[in-house]
Amino acid sequence: MKRMPSLASTVAAALVTAGLALNQTHSTHDTQPDRSSTARSVSATTSGGHWVDTWASMPQLTEPGNMPPAPFTQADRVFDDATLRQTVHVAVGGQRVRLRFSNAFGGTDLPVTAVSVARPAGGKAGVDAIVPGSDRRVTFGGQPGFDIPLGAQAVSDPLDFDVRPGTNLAVTLYLARGQTSTSITSHPGSRTTSYMLAGDHLNDAELPGAATVDHWYFLSGLEVWSKRHTSATVVLGDSLSDGRGSATNGNDRWPDQLQTRLRSRPDTADIAVVNEAAGGNRVLHDGLGPNALARLDRDVLTRSGVNRLIVFEGVNDIGTAGTSKADAQQITAELVGAYRQIITRAHAQGIRVYGATLTPFAGNVYDDPAAVHESARQAVNRWIRTSGRFDAVVDFDRAVGDPHDRRRLLPAYDTGDHLHLNPAGYKALSDSVPAALFRP
């Protein structure tokens, strides 16, 4: 009797056939992908090492004032037949990379036609030009593009691309059809200039006449394949970590400056500081972007190679709370409860959690005549310092507060709004983080 094929062998044969069909599909935009390069990268992921986040941005729903300028925003779509070039600052390096793109807040699917990675001209951030010949095509399942479903994200194939620590990388997208919605995903507080130009200019060395904005769109992460001891530390925060008051294209937020410090020491050089902060963000309630408790899984727990978390958030919760004594007690209790939740959830994933004290804001609109908000800030800081719930405490309050009036920022660090810091103030925050917290 002739033996019938098993179910397993039938499924395996179907998968092989499907894979051959996929590999034989040609793109109308590009030549067939370099399968040998992809195969080498995929093979490498099965050997020693692991993926580690080296850069990230917190996805947000784009507000009307942060939408791309016309004609890149139309009545019913964005980036129709348009090229978008963005630069990102890499923390740790590696010889292979993969990119993450987010459609978390898009109103429709996001059809990405093609993506390339290159070295920016002069190694600079926020420039439109790339080093000629340095560009490499990014693929998704061997194909040049991918339609990212509503609310989803896409991770590219591993790409052989040598990235040095502390350098900048240019990522260019081409969207042939655009996204048919005016609800799109971005990170407005990029403090980095991006370029957009009509038509397909994916691999052009320069983008003359391109429009510019200081926002990132769709791009949400960059990972490198690195040694097992390489790891990532995520910063969960608001505008004080997102870098309001820092220099555009300067990469001098306090997480950037902390990264520079760690990279200068042999025992901490392989630790990436990944900035998952956004201006206006709150711990308890949605503000600009989902609240910290809601986004913890997406922005921290599912990131690659993360083993430490710095929580520096809560000032926007206090500043928008009521101004009675009962309000102060309530917001304090709620923030403490939220911190406990963050610690518990992170510890369950083997992530150590460091609590940063909240910095002063006397003189800002968050201040109130009876100093009720200040009393809440002090109560929250007292709990952070003394509860013993965090694995360690980083005392940012002491680092930038005026020693003659602890309710206020030191004038040398104040941008003038009595809440946000200038680059010197961000350096003070960076310098106050003990390097011992990052040793093995």
Side-chain angles (χ1 to χ4, degrees), residues 376-399:
R377 185 184 75 90
Q378 291 184 12
V380 168
N381 282 349
R382 187 160 49 250
W383 185 86
I384 292 172
R385 290 185 180 111
T386 64
S387 69
R389 294 302 300 269
F390 286 105
D391 295 295
V393 174
V394 180
D395 207 337
F396 283 167
D397 177 32
R398 296 291 181 189

Side-chain angles (χ1 to χ4, degrees), residues 41 90 92-98 117-120 134 136 159-165 167-169 222-225:
S41 297
V90 174
V92 296
Q95 294 184 327
R96 293 174 179 86
V97 301
R98 65 184 185 187
V117 174
R119 305 190 192 286
S134 69
R136 294 288 309 279
L159 174 69
D160 291 328
F161 197 96
D162 189 18
V163 178
R164 297 295 180 184
T167 58
N168 296 302
L169 202 63
L222 174 68
E223 301 175 4
V224 292
W225 181 257

Side-chain angles (χ1 to χ4, degrees), residues 67 74-78 105-109 178-184:
M67 292 291 289
Q74 301 174 17
D76 62 345
R77 69 185 60 225
V78 295
F105 300 99
T108 61
D109 292 356
Q179 185 168 18
T180 55
S181 172
T182 53
S183 293
I184 65 171

Side-chain angles (χ1 to χ4, degrees), residues 7-362:
L7 177 60
S9 63
T10 302
V11 172
L15 290 174
V16 170
T17 302
L20 289 174
L22 178 64
N23 284 336
Q24 291 168 358
T25 301
H26 291 263
S27 166
T28 58
H29 179 272
D30 193 13
T31 58
Q32 191 169 355
D34 179 0
R35 290 194 297 271
S36 63
S37 175
T38 301
R40 288 195 303 272
S41 297
V42 172
S43 175
T45 64
T46 63
S47 59
H50 66 156
W51 288 106
V52 179
D53 273 280
T54 189
W55 173 87
S57 68
M58 174 189 152
Q60 297 175 243
L61 175 64
T62 309
E63 297 177 290
N66 295 323
M67 292 291 289
F72 303 99
T73 296
Q74 301 174 17
D76 62 345
R77 69 185 60 225
V78 295
F79 292 119
D80 184 22
D81 185 25
T83 299
L84 171 64
R85 181 165 291 167
Q86 309 173 102
T87 56
V88 299
H89 192 63
V90 174
V92 296
Q95 294 184 327
R96 293 174 179 86
V97 301
R98 65 184 185 187
L99 303 174
R100 289 182 181 264
F101 297 91
S102 176
N103 192 25
F105 300 99
T108 61
D109 292 356
L110 171 62
V112 176
T113 307
V115 181
S116 69
V117 174
R119 305 190 192 286
K124 297 180 180 179
V127 297
D128 73 294
I130 60 174
V131 176
S134 69
D135 56 291
R136 294 288 309 279
R137 292 292 178 94
V138 175
T139 60
F140 301 83
Q143 299 304 300
F146 188 78
D147 285 5
I148 307 176
L150 177 69
Q153 67 171 318
V155 182
S156 76
D157 297 331
L159 174 69
D160 291 328
F161 197 96
D162 189 18
V163 178
R164 297 295 180 184
T167 58
N168 296 302
L169 202 63
V171 179
T172 308
L173 291 81
Y174 173 60
L175 282 70
R177 294 175 287 137
Q179 185 168 18
T180 55
S181 172
T182 53
S183 293
I184 65 171
T185 304
S186 70
H187 187 85
S190 67
R191 274 89 197 175
T192 307
T193 305
S194 299
Y195 295 80
M196 51 203 72
L197 190 63
D200 180 1
H201 303 277
L202 188 76
N203 301 111
D204 288 8
E206 298 180 359
L207 301 179
T212 62
V213 293
D214 292 338
H215 313 308
W216 287 309
Y217 297 102
F218 311 130
L219 185 61
S220 63
L222 174 68
E223 301 175 4
V224 292
W225 181 257
S226 193
K227 300 174 183 178
R228 280 291 171 191
H229 63 265
T230 305
S231 65
T233 297
V234 173
V235 173
L236 192 68
D238 49 37
S239 59
L240 287 163
S241 299
D242 202 26
R244 182 171 176 178
S246 63
T248 299
N249 298 318
N251 288 309
D252 53 11
R253 313 162 187 85
W254 75 261
D256 298 317
Q257 299 194 55
L258 174 60
Q259 182 70 69
T260 301
R261 275 187 60 213
L262 297 180
R263 192 165 50 246
S264 70
R265 303 171 60 97
D267 57 342
T268 58
D270 290 326
I271 297 173
V273 180
V274 178
N275 195 340
E276 289 282 12
N281 197 240
R282 293 188 290 183
V283 175
L284 299 164
H285 303 287
D286 292 356
L288 292 181
N291 65 78
L293 288 176
R295 66 187 182 92
L296 185 68
D297 289 88
R298 182 196 70 188
D299 294 344
V300 180
L301 304 186
T302 61
R303 305 307 301 193
S304 298
V306 174
N307 63 9
R308 296 175 181 86
L309 167 64
I310 300 175
V311 180
F312 178 37
E313 190 163 6
V315 68
N316 291 324
D317 297 81
I318 293 173
T320 56
T323 55
S324 70
K325 289 185 178 180
D327 291 326
Q329 293 172 349
Q330 180 177 348
I331 193 62
T332 298
E334 289 179 348
L335 279 174
V336 166
Y339 294 149
R340 289 177 182 271
Q341 286 290 314
I342 291 170
I343 293 166
T344 297
R345 290 164 62 187
H347 280 175
Q349 301 300 318
I351 298 172
R352 296 157 76 180
V353 188
Y354 305 149
T357 54
L358 305 180
T359 50
F361 51 74

